[in-house]
Amino acid sequence: LIDSPRTRFSTGRSFLDAGIALLAFVLVCAGLNALLPFPEVDVVSAELRFFKKHQDEFDTVFIGSSQTHHQISPAIFDRITSEAGHPTRSFNLGINGMFPPESGYFLERLLSAKPRNLKWVFIELDELETRRFPQAEASRRSLYWHDWERTSLVLQRILDTVRPGEGLSFSRKMVEVFTPRPGRSDARDRFFFHSGLFAKNFTNIGRKIDLAWWSSHLGKQGAPPKELGRDGDGFVPQSRTMSAEEIIAYETGLKDAVASVEFRFVSPATEQAYRQWAEEVRKIGATPVFLVPPKATQVKLGFPPESGIAENVLLFNDAVAYPQFYRHEMRVDADHLNRVGAEEFTELVARKFSQLLQEQQIP
Amino acid sequence: MLFIEFRFFWFFLVVFSVYWSLRENRSRKIWLLVCSYIFYAAWNWKFVFLLMGSSALDYFVGTMLARTDNPRARRGWLMLSLGANLGTLAFFKYFNFFIASAATLLAWLGLPASLHTLNIILPVGISFYTFHSMSYTIDVYRGKMRAVSSFLDVAAFIGFFPQMVAGPIVRAATFLPQLRTLRRFSDVDVRGALVLFLTGFIKKACIADALAPIVDRYFAAPGSFTAGSAWVAITFYSIQVYCDFSGYTDMAIAAARLLGYELPVNFRFPFFAKSMSDFWHRWHISLSSWLRDYLFIPLGGSRGPRWFVYRNIMITMLLGGLWHGAAWTTVIWGGLLGLALVVQREWQHWTGHGEQARPWTGWLGWALTMYWFCLALMVFRCLNLSDALVAVESFALFRSSGAQDLGVWMLWLVVALGILHWMNFRGTFANWWRRGPDPVFAAAYGCVAATVLLFIPQHYTPFIYFQF
């Protein structure tokens, strides 16, 4: 290889050749990306597989983070809706750490199997998550959902944080992010981080393990994931008592949050994301419902009226309206309810939902 | 920043584009130097100053050597350069090793002493760039080359990013003349360089990194594995080290070549060596030739009585072992390989056979060479001497109390890789990729590169030689 005779390159043609190489590279990456099996991402893949196997048994699903996973009991939800005359058969697909846009990606994978009986899709509402989580950065979980659509949403959200409200153009925002200036390094860092994950995901780095997994599990029945809980419905309640120090910190934080309560619309990127997901849900004949669990933050998110999805939001992060969920006896930490709190919260969600159906406020 | 990381790709794209768009040689060298320091700073910016200091000192010593003919003064300047370079290396790399060894020795002699080690970070590539640097002052001292008047040239030579961190160890006399002339893009063998880079990438990312977890598993606790596993582990480790280091070298040579510079060949199919001396003409050639020219020959080389030559061989190999790492296992590794060279010479002396005569040129010579290389490598890889004893016993005597099995069946991988390597050795893959028009090559290259990425691990493993 080293001592072989040389081939002459003309500078002009080398640009064309580089373009051809790049095009071939991109096409093969895209082709492989489309052909490769869904990546094996611990609980995500296991829950998707389980749901797809039983998808026609359910008409209601809950999608979201640990605040859905630990706080929504399908058994209680179904009992209450049934008592209210709107019987449902629900399943909790909440997964710890699943924030938008990952939850949107998960939702799309779920809907791609076209579940026939699905009528209601509860999606946890939050701003698009752009932060870096050092403990999970190198994991496949942080990588697998970085397709073009999700990555562009995240990047747009990062750009949204640059001088918000000033109506800057896209190019101006890019210049702002990349101009060395105090306070910009975080946005720049996150921009590079998510772009890097997109590149890694698009180029299928290390995806041989998915091929190996797929071939070794071909035709085999996997056991239901333990994350589905004791009843196999996806609900796993938590039972921890906060320490005295944690209670003080929690109550102080809550007092501050209540004092600075605000209502605002989600960012444009988040709105766009939720609109797309709502559209996907409606395409299969189901209705999206957006849910904000009783978390410590008292920022009440909503969609602008022109978004077309503003009416389907159920907000519960209101310490004044729902003080029962904010007593420390009901919580395991600032963001999560314990079993008693979760059961009470599920009851309230079910009643509210039934009431809206009754009043035909949800189509 | 590793050659197999995405960010290196972007980094190199910028370096390459700007480099070739500059018209003046001086501007290009400044650009290369800046990029080299950025490349090094990506690991730890503080040590860039050490690199600059080393370059400045050797430039200064070179200049002073050129100004005087007084042998004593010249020797003094050389000693300053050697003292500073080896002193830096000794401090950063060997200080804790010497202190710990001294404490152990004193305790063994019944004189326990409380000697404190320091929390020292080993600057990456220090063993390589100090050797680059020293080759300049030694060659100027010996009159093999003239002192360079431009500090920029010396700094660019020592800091040249493709070879700075893990070689090949480039001689000043080889590289500095290349820096003096303006490189032309039309002279660059782009196709050859790209194929070489991809070859190195495949060796490192697809082979070495894939074998690493199996090897690591064995060497974490050699005593708990069967004797068969010892053979699997050491065979895999030999391939891992070779693919890791020669892969890095291939990428370094290719990156340099794309910028118009030639770096020396570092590996020539070492697994086909038929004797230990033949092996050292094929494995890490730039280091073995450096040690030969700057240590073995000054010690007296092959001239003089046999025992004197054997002493020179042993000193060279023991120090060569120590260069690889601050541990007794690496020193013993060097000693074992030195011993093999001594035995080979003694055998040749007794039988009257030269280097090319039987049995060293036949299968037996190959088998003995590989066996001894693996045995020495076993010691090299072990984390401590007690592990090394267990592993060597398992490998050499087929005796182990361990029950865990790595799976001997995995050796089929070795057979497959061996066939590929043999085909390459025979030149099967030598030039077929040169055929066909450039656009076809470009498209094929893009397709192969995209496919290769499927087979690399999700997480990067640092190059083994970075720790040296």
Side-chain angles (χ1 to χ4, degrees):
Chain A
L1 291 175
I2 290 154
D3 299 325
S4 45
R6 294 179 168 189
T7 310
R8 294 218 164 211
F9 253 60
S10 85
T11 314
R13 281 188 59 191
S14 63
F15 278 103
L16 177 69
D17 295 332
I20 292 171
L22 186 67
L23 183 69
F25 180 82
V26 169
L27 288 176
V28 172
C29 283
L32 288 171
N33 207 296
L35 288 173
L36 284 165
F38 186 79
E40 191 52 32
V41 187
D42 49 57
V43 62
V44 177
S45 311
E47 288 213 4
L48 268 179
R49 266 196 302 275
F50 180 84
F51 181 78
K52 281 183 181 176
K53 214 156 82 184
H54 302 274
Q55 61 183 15
D56 293 334
E57 297 169 23
F58 306 105
D59 59 12
T60 307
V61 291
F62 294 87
I63 290 169
S65 67
S66 55
Q67 298 194 13
T68 296
H69 182 47
H70 299 301
Q71 299 183 166
I72 296 285
S73 162
I76 295 173
F77 185 86
D78 293 346
R79 179 169 55 79
I80 303 293
T81 52
S82 179
E83 285 168 8
H86 299 283
T88 54
R89 177 91 169 87
S90 64
F91 191 77
N92 184 337
L93 279 164
I95 293 175
N96 290 347
M98 184 168 282
F99 304 108
E102 185 193 0
S103 54
Y105 183 81
F106 182 79
L107 172 70
E108 283 184 16
R109 297 284 83 73
L110 199 82
L111 300 180
S112 67
K114 300 202 178 350
R116 280 178 296 177
N117 301 324
L118 207 56
K119 278 161 61 183
W120 312 104
V121 179
F122 285 77
I123 307 168
E124 202 176 294
L125 172 61
D126 207 342
E127 284 284 7
L128 293 177
E129 185 58 77
T130 64
R131 282 176 299 170
R132 299 176 63 164
F133 295 97
Q135 67 277 19
E137 269 179 18
S139 69
R140 301 201 77 197
R141 175 77 187 276
S142 65
L143 178 71
Y144 81 101
W145 53 268
H146 275 88
D147 60 357
W148 174 245
E149 203 175 304
R150 250 53 60 172
T151 309
S152 59
L153 283 169
V154 168
L155 299 184
Q156 196 187 322
R157 169 82 184 112
I158 293 169
L159 293 177
D160 282 348
T161 61
V162 180
R163 293 166 65 182
E166 292 186 29
L168 297 183
S169 65
F170 172 78
S171 53
R172 187 68 203 279
K173 283 181 179 175
M174 288 291 279
V175 171
E176 281 287 320
V177 167
F178 288 100
T179 307
R181 201 172 292 174
R184 288 278 177 271
S185 62
D186 184 45
R188 191 164 52 242
D189 176 53
R190 282 184 284 159
F191 196 94
F192 278 125
F193 173 69
H194 289 287
S195 307
L197 286 179
F198 166 73
K200 207 170 169 185
N201 193 34
F202 178 73
T203 52
N204 310 302
I205 286 182
R207 293 284 304 274
K208 65 174 179 194
I209 54 173
D210 296 321
L211 280 176
W213 194 95
W214 176 77
S215 57
S216 65
H217 285 74
L218 207 60
K220 288 182 187 166
Q221 296 285 340
K226 63 178 188 316
E227 287 80 2
L228 291 182
R230 206 180 53 189
D231 299 334
D233 58 5
F235 172 55
V236 179
Q238 289 182 303
S239 54
R240 180 181 162 269
T241 313
M242 283 201 274
S243 66
E245 293 81 25
E246 285 174 322
I247 291 170
I248 293 167
Y250 163 67
E251 289 185 339
T252 313
L254 183 64
K255 203 179 283 177
D256 293 345
V258 171
S260 58
V261 65
E262 63 167 312
F263 179 92
R264 66 173 172 80
F265 294 136
V266 294
S267 69
T270 305
E271 184 201 324
Q272 186 190 332
Y274 277 89
R275 253 194 294 116
Q276 283 172 5
W277 301 332
E279 209 169 294
E280 296 286 332
V281 171
R282 287 191 181 117
K283 263 189 207 163
I284 63 149
T287 305
V289 182
F290 305 105
L291 184 69
V292 182
K295 49 189 171 186
T297 171
Q298 297 295 293
V299 178
K300 290 165 183 55
L301 292 174
F303 297 109
E306 64 274 15
S307 66
I309 50 175
E311 66 275 15
N312 292 7
V313 180
L314 300 180
L315 278 173
F316 293 96
N317 64 331
D318 189 334
V320 178
Y322 307 108
Q324 68 272 33
F325 300 130
Y326 287 89
R327 294 200 327 265
H328 68 81
E329 298 88 351
M330 291 288 231
R331 308 190 76 94
V332 295
D333 56 36
D335 286 321
H336 300 95
L337 298 165
N338 60 20
R339 175 189 279 275
V340 181
E343 288 175 354
E344 202 171 312
F345 170 58
T346 310
E347 276 190 38
L348 186 66
V349 173
R351 286 190 205 292
K352 191 112 181 167
F353 174 63
S354 304
Q355 186 191 343
L356 290 173
L357 285 178
Q358 197 76 37
E359 294 166 1
Q360 295 189 328
Q361 286 190 32
I362 292 183
Chain B
M1 194 186 314
L2 305 177
F3 287 172
I4 54 170
E5 283 182 273
F6 257 120
R7 58 183 179 152
F8 177 76
F9 173 77
W10 297 114
F11 169 80
F12 191 76
L13 198 65
V14 174
V15 175
F16 178 85
S17 313
V18 174
Y19 176 83
W20 287 113
S21 65
L22 297 170
R23 295 191 168 211
E24 282 186 8
N25 197 26
R26 186 179 159 75
S27 316
R28 286 183 179 178
K29 285 188 283 192
I30 291 171
W31 173 243
L32 272 187
L33 185 62
V34 169
C35 293
S36 296
Y37 286 163
I38 290 172
F39 179 83
Y40 199 68
W43 168 73
N44 189 330
W45 63 269
K46 290 172 194 156
F47 287 115
V48 172
F49 297 107
L50 192 67
L51 186 63
M52 285 176 179
S54 184
S55 309
L57 176 83
D58 286 318
Y59 169 73
F60 175 70
V61 168
T63 309
M64 297 314 287
L65 283 170
R67 281 187 189 171
T68 178
D69 292 326
N70 181 340
R72 277 190 64 172
R74 288 174 63 80
R75 194 171 300 130
W77 286 119
L78 179 68
M79 286 303 142
L80 174 68
S81 166
L82 297 183
N85 280 304
L86 293 175
T88 310
L89 192 60
F91 175 73
F92 282 104
K93 191 167 174 179
Y94 301 108
F95 181 81
N96 284 343
F97 169 65
F98 288 136
I99 290 289
S101 300
T104 310
L105 180 67
L106 288 172
W108 186 71
L109 293 172
L111 303 164
S114 173
L115 300 174
H116 296 285
T117 55
L118 298 175
N119 190 15
I120 302 170
I121 301 171
L122 178 67
V124 71
I126 190 169
S127 306
F128 288 91
Y129 74 69
T130 48
F131 272 38
H132 295 149
S133 198
M134 284 194 296
S135 82
Y136 170 66
T137 47
I138 297 172
D139 282 354
V140 172
Y141 173 78
R142 286 176 175 177
K144 284 192 171 181
M145 65 175 291
R146 283 178 159 190
V148 177
S149 57
S150 158
F151 172 66
L152 178 63
D153 282 16
V154 175
F157 154 62
I158 295 169
F160 187 51
F161 72 88
Q163 46 90 27
M164 174 187 22
V165 185
I169 299 169
V170 186
R171 308 285 182 88
T174 313
F175 198 76
L176 282 168
Q178 296 187 55
L179 280 172
R180 279 188 217 117
T181 52
L182 183 76
R183 310 274 104 191
R184 289 187 309 177
F185 187 65
S186 56
D187 289 341
V188 175
D189 175 19
V190 177
R191 205 187 274 209
L194 289 175
V195 170
L196 191 59
F197 193 91
L198 191 60
T199 308
F201 186 90
I202 292 171
K203 280 186 192 172
K204 162 65 183 162
C206 299
I207 303 175
D209 287 357
L211 295 177
I214 305 168
V215 173
D216 292 347
R217 208 180 129 210
Y218 176 83
F219 285 101
S224 54
F225 285 90
T226 59
S229 300
W231 281 76
V232 174
I234 199 57
T235 311
F236 279 11
Y237 185 54
S238 314
I239 299 169
Q240 186 199 346
V241 174
Y242 170 71
C243 288
D244 191 283
F245 193 23
S246 75
Y248 174 87
T249 308
D250 288 347
M251 287 187 272
I253 293 171
R257 194 176 280 181
L258 284 170
L259 296 170
Y261 299 96
E262 283 296 326
L263 300 183
V265 175
N266 217 13
F267 290 88
R268 275 200 194 96
F269 301 100
F271 293 138
F272 294 104
K274 289 172 180 171
S275 70
M276 200 46 85
S277 59
D278 184 21
F279 182 83
W280 286 109
H281 285 106
R282 295 166 177 273
W283 179 281
H284 204 173
I285 301 164
S286 64
L287 174 69
S288 50
S289 61
W290 199 100
L291 290 173
R292 181 196 63 207
D293 294 346
Y294 295 109
L295 182 61
F296 179 68
I297 291 174
L299 282 170
S302 298
R303 286 165 299 173
R306 265 158 51 212
W307 68 266
F308 185 74
V309 175
Y310 298 160
R311 184 207 69 158
N312 296 343
I313 290 174
M314 287 310 292
I315 291 174
T316 306
M317 294 307 292
L318 286 168
L319 289 175
L322 190 62
W323 177 89
H324 280 82
W328 287 109
T329 47
T330 57
V331 177
I332 294 171
W333 171 77
L336 285 170
L337 294 175
L339 189 67
L341 288 171
V342 168
V343 169
Q344 183 191 332
R345 277 196 177 233
E346 193 62 14
W347 171 267
Q348 284 167 351
H349 176 77
W350 275 35
T351 57
H353 291 148
E355 178 78 18
Q356 301 304 317
R358 286 182 181 181
W360 301 104
T361 52
W363 281 98
L364 183 62
W366 173 80
L368 281 174
T369 305
M370 288 303 113
Y371 178 81
W372 197 255
F373 170 69
C374 286
L375 185 103
L377 201 61
M378 202 103 198
V379 179
F380 181 89
R381 176 61 179 80
C382 282
L383 303 172
N384 52 54
L385 286 174
S386 54
D387 272 4
L389 280 175
V390 172
V392 167
E393 186 186 357
S394 190
F395 174 73
L397 305 176
F398 248 93
R399 210 165 53 199
S400 173
S401 54
Q404 283 193 61
D405 193 15
L406 278 182
V408 179
W409 62 269
M410 282 198 281
L411 285 172
W412 72 263
L413 270 174
V414 178
V415 176
L417 289 172
I419 291 170
L420 273 176
H421 196 51
W422 180 78
M423 286 168 75
N424 198 20
F425 179 60
R426 299 297 299 256
T428 312
F429 310 123
N431 279 313
W432 62 266
W433 44 268
R434 287 195 182 276
R435 293 176 213 136
D438 289 341
V440 174
F441 170 80
Y445 193 85
C447 295
V448 173
T451 311
V452 161
L453 294 181
L454 268 181
F455 297 93
I456 72 172
Q458 294 255 325
H459 307 298
Y460 306 115
T461 310
F463 287 95
I464 293 173
Y465 266 68
F466 273 25
Q467 62 190 290
F468 304 149

